[in-house]
Amino acid sequence: MQDPIALQYGISQIPTTFLLDATGKIVAIDLNGEALKSKIKELLEIQ
């Protein structure tokens, strides 16, 4: 976890998931299950 990229993005566990919006901005980290499904649905409705 001392890799420069891990430090830059605050990764403290593997696997770590990042959800990006259409512009590439990180909008969520480490969501799973219903929380992930809900966030994806929210992002798709906005666009």
Side-chain angles (χ1 to χ4, degrees):
M1 296 296 126
Q2 297 304 312
D3 183 272
I5 298 296
L7 294 171
Q8 179 179 350
Y9 287 98
I11 297 171
S12 61
Q13 63 185 10
I14 295 176
T16 298
T17 57
F18 292 87
L19 187 58
L20 309 175
D21 68 9
T23 67
K25 178 183 172 189
I26 298 172
V27 294
I29 300 173
D30 287 334
L31 294 180
N32 57 46
E34 287 301 315
L36 177 59
K37 183 177 177 179
S38 176
K39 188 65 174 179
I40 290 172
K41 183 177 178 184
E42 173 190 324
L43 291 170
L44 290 175
E45 289 174 352
I46 291 172
Q47 298 176 13

